Amino acid sequence: MTVDTPVQLTYAVTWREISDGLRIQLRHSPVGRWCFRVLWTLGALLGFVIVANLLTRGLDAVGMGVWRFFLIACLLMVAFRWLTALALLGYARHLGEHRVTVDVSGIRTVTERHTNETGWKFYGRCVEGPRVFVLLTPDVWGAGVMVLPKRGLDAPQDADRLRELIGAHLVSVRLGKGPNWVPHRVSR
């Protein structure tokens, strides 16, 4: 397999792929990891306060306001990524079917309403999940995200060629299982 051969993807974006991309972005950007830890710490602290209050004063000591606050906080932690993915899905559906070409010069995306070319220097790393490849910018927020669904590939061997192309230009991390994937970086 050669890195010189371009890889084509054709797909209509789904909510699940966007949600997976956002989850990966949060776990692999420094600010996302920090926010995730802060939210879980606050949730654990609130849970500890409620349990301690229940154990010392009984069930009647915790008012309905505290229970509602705890329930809303838990729901928001879960629903935030889902709602963001739903909003981005509306934008992606507006663009229509995506035809993406990945080659040595970068990534070219053509939709019914938009054309974009991005060079490899824009992205700093790639994380592969079970369903998607997620390219992230090297900034602390990991704000620039490109989600490439594996189902958009024409053939199974295209996934290997895409891994080679990405691995030749970016730091790559694989979440899925696979014996041949080694994180590496090629100097520029």
Side-chain angles (χ1 to χ4, degrees), residues 1-184:
M1 289 181 216
T2 63
V3 177
D4 297 342
T5 308
V7 176
Q8 302 281 331
L9 295 97
T10 304
Y11 57 90
V13 180
T14 65
W15 175 84
R16 181 65 183 188
E17 292 159 351
I18 294 173
S19 181
D20 286 353
L22 291 173
R23 178 182 47 82
I24 289 171
Q25 177 196 23
L26 280 175
R27 291 197 177 150
H28 289 275
S29 67
V31 171
R33 286 190 302 267
W34 182 82
C35 289
F36 188 75
R37 288 180 191 131
V38 167
L39 283 175
W40 277 108
T41 302
L42 289 175
L45 182 61
L46 181 61
F48 176 73
V49 168
I50 290 173
V51 169
N53 203 2
L54 283 173
L55 291 176
T56 57
R57 297 187 185 160
L59 188 59
D60 295 334
V62 181
M64 281 304 290
V66 173
W67 287 112
R68 274 185 250 150
F69 176 74
F70 183 68
L71 179 64
I72 289 170
C74 290
L75 288 175
L76 285 176
M77 284 174 41
V78 171
F80 177 73
R81 187 179 83 238
W82 293 351
L83 293 173
T84 304
L86 192 59
L88 290 172
L89 180 62
Y91 172 70
R93 283 189 177 159
H94 170 73
L95 293 176
E97 183 181 70
H98 290 64
R99 292 173 301 283
V100 179
T101 304
V102 181
D103 59 20
V104 293
S105 64
I107 301 166
R108 179 176 170 79
T109 306
V110 178
T111 68
E112 296 168 12
R113 294 180 174 84
H114 179 73
T115 299
N116 183 35
E117 288 188 43
T118 308
W120 287 112
K121 290 184 180 183
F122 182 75
Y123 296 107
R125 62 191 181 281
C126 175
V127 181
E128 182 182 354
R131 284 182 280 278
V132 295
F133 290 92
V134 180
L135 284 73
L136 301 167
T137 54
D139 60 301
V140 73
W141 291 95
V145 178
M146 167 72 75
V147 178
L148 299 172
K150 292 179 181 178
R151 68 175 174 78
L153 296 166
D154 292 332
Q157 63 269 20
D158 287 346
D160 293 332
R161 285 195 359 242
L162 184 58
R163 277 186 204 101
E164 280 185 33
L165 272 167
I166 291 171
H169 296 92
L170 303 176
V171 172
S172 302
V173 179
R174 184 171 177 152
L175 295 179
K177 296 178 181 172
N180 299 329
W181 190 262
V182 179
H184 63 285

